[in-house]
Amino acid sequence: MRGASQEVNEWIDGFLFLANRSILDFLNTKPVLADGPTELLSSFRDLERWLIASGMVTSPKTKAIVRSWRNSADATAFLEQLVAFRERLRKAVIQIESGSSPADAFLAEVNLLLLQYPRHTSLRKRNGKVIRETLFEPRKPSDLWAPIVDATVDLLTEAESSRIRKCESCIVHFFDTSKKGSRRWCSMNICGNRLKVAAYQRRKREGNAMAN
Ligand SMILES: [Zn+2]
């Protein structure tokens, strides 16, 4: 969770992290920047950077495995499928945001991925106590589905789905963790200030019009 440091830490290694949910940050890998919609995952190397920045890939061993796939055809094919999935996920998220539920076909797709790429558990000892850990040792690029699908399941089953929201001014999605649940913008830096300035100028114009 990136609480207080959120405003300064919105970009990590060229990616937006302001959604409070990694799968929504994943959705935001195609933001609209000054030059229009921008694909931030245009190569497997980009995905590798995103997986590390998001914390989905952490151990040196896994990082090395993922790095070794950079030039593989399997990795390129996986990225293509993943980006297509991201757009179907976008549709599902927009449906949730509008108060309805995702299409059955999308749930069926996620269920199939869950069967094919299950999360494995392993046991470890820490300070003499046995703890449960998620085992993530990808052996091929498509094994990277596991953390993506896991995070997708968390989002789809989110109890406070009304906190899943889209920025009022751009296409960035986020999960509102504010106390009041009144977050409206992706971020103060990106859209908030711009909208505040616009509202101020509008008020000023209207004020001037009334004065005349
Ligand atoms: Zn925005």
Side-chain angles (χ1 to χ4, degrees), residues 22-115:
S22 57
I23 200 68
L24 291 175
D25 287 320
F26 170 66
L27 206 56
N28 295 334
T29 51
K30 195 179 179 185
V32 176
L33 302 178
D35 301 332
T38 307
E39 178 57 78
L40 300 178
L41 299 179
S42 43
S43 70
F44 185 75
R45 212 168 164 149
D46 294 336
L47 178 65
E48 180 190 333
R49 282 173 36 239
W50 186 86
L51 288 166
I52 292 169
S54 69
M56 283 195 186
V57 165
T58 49
S59 77
K61 191 179 156 197
T62 312
K63 283 181 189 172
I65 293 170
V66 173
R67 194 181 313 128
S68 73
W69 294 333
R70 273 180 191 170
N71 300 314
S72 85
D74 280 357
T76 308
F78 168 71
L79 176 65
E80 217 168 276
Q81 288 177 15
L82 188 67
V83 166
F85 174 83
R86 184 190 63 194
E87 297 315 309
R88 292 192 291 278
L89 173 67
R90 189 184 310 282
K91 213 172 155 188
V93 166
I94 290 169
Q95 281 162 332
I96 293 171
E97 287 167 348
S98 71
S100 61
S101 55
D104 290 344
F106 185 69
L107 294 192
E109 180 181 4
V110 174
N111 277 336
L112 194 63
L113 288 166
L114 280 168
L115 276 177

